[in-house]
Amino acid sequence: MRTSTFVVTPNVAVVKYWGKRDNQLNLPDNGSISVTMDETVRTITSVEFNPNLVRDSLILNGKPAKENELVRAVKVLDAIRKKAGIKNKACVISENNFPTAAGLASSASGFAALACAGAEAAGLEATERELSIFARLGSGSACRSVLGGFVEWKKGSRKDGLDSYAVQLASSSHWPELRNIITIVDPGRKRIGSAEGMEITTRTSKLYMKRVKENPKLLSAMRRAIRRRDLENFLMLTMCESSRMHAVMMDSFPPIIYLNDVSREIIESVLGFNTSKGMSCAGYTFDAGPNAHVYTISKYEKEVRTLLSEINGVEKIIISKPGEGPRRLPDDKSLI
Ligand code: PMV
């Protein structure tokens, strides 16, 4: 029986995933691009396959996971067991150092950590592509967290999803000055989970297909901005893309509204800052929650932090840099 422990970090998309062509396999309608964060925000997960267990168990932040969380973890574990040719059930213990399910991508780091630790505990020498596919089965965005730096999730076109996985565009050292100022306005749990929200959007939004059609152009513009470390274009594309995702959410019925008054203040404040500088120096993006991720570079970090911390309703600010991706921890750090 081998135990394996990994520390894995969330990623925050600048070209977003919102809408699936296959709900079971988490296959997206469009490609996405993200930045994997450093270990300021992180998940640690230990996995052990054990012949004495009668079912898989998952302890999340010290408590047994909810049934729906366990079901998703079992999907990842089943795929690992199938590949490794083993039948043993697994004990999984996972801890986050940031609020779970509040739009801070905890599912991304969580399922990516499960994929990495699970594959190793099962004795697999999995490739990055295999790890990305294992992680995707738990949560789509998790497929991007098995890699560090700047990452693209290729949407793929196969029915079995074997061509839908993440690849690294550039390592974290490509643009070390980049910062994500994570601005927490509401650490509570999300109102509508992303799976349910995506299902409502794909079924009811008229703007949705337009967004999907525009995606290839946006991906190439974003790849170019990253390659050239072109801050202004990177931020402009990021802000517009965030608004477009929230527009199709709003265009759904019933409308899906994740942003609140504090989120809107953050938007105004960042835009005001950019106007005062005469160029885009900071850019916001929001996932399925009201918390903001404000990208900037080290030069403006202090100013942007001060600006955001002065907004009424901002509860906490965490600053993260691009991170290197999953890291194996020694056995004495195991949570089991
Ligand atoms: O993988 P999920 O189901 O947690 O999807 C989350 C999708 C967004 O965070 C809203 C966008 C993205 O690409 O990460």
Side-chain angles (χ1 to χ4, degrees), residues 216-230:
K217 256 196 280 173
L218 176 59
L219 288 173
S220 56
M222 187 60 87
R223 276 187 221 114
R224 191 169 50 240
I226 291 171
R227 194 169 54 241
R228 297 180 174 173
R229 292 186 287 264
D230 175 349

Side-chain angles (χ1 to χ4, degrees), residues 14 35 150 174-180 221-240 270 273-274 277-284 294-301 304 322:
V14 288
V35 186
F150 300 80
H174 170 69
W175 202 353
E177 304 82 20
L178 195 70
R179 297 288 180 273
N180 173 3
M222 187 60 87
R223 276 187 221 114
R224 191 169 50 240
I226 291 171
R227 194 169 54 241
R228 297 180 174 173
R229 292 186 287 264
D230 175 349
L231 184 66
E232 278 222 78
N233 268 316
F234 176 80
L235 298 173
M236 283 297 293
L237 294 168
T238 298
M239 289 187 279
C240 291
V270 168
F273 178 73
N274 289 343
K277 293 277 177 195
M279 61 181 280
S280 289
C281 300
Y284 46 78
V294 180
Y295 281 108
T296 186
I297 50 170
S298 45
K299 189 167 146 193
Y300 307 115
E301 178 183 321
V304 178

Side-chain angles (χ1 to χ4, degrees), residues 26 29 43 79 128 132 142-143 228 273 287 309 318 328:
N26 289 334
D29 272 331
T43 297
E128 282 169 351
S132 182
C143 82
R228 297 180 174 173
F273 178 73
D287 284 331
S309 63
I318 303 169
R328 189 188 184 283

Side-chain angles (χ1 to χ4, degrees), residues 13 15-18 32 107 139-142 144 194 198 245 287-288:
V15 178
K16 309 278 197 189
Y17 151 56
W18 192 259
S32 51
S107 66
S139 154
S141 58
R144 298 184 307 238
S194 52
M198 288 186 205
M245 179 180 75
D287 284 331

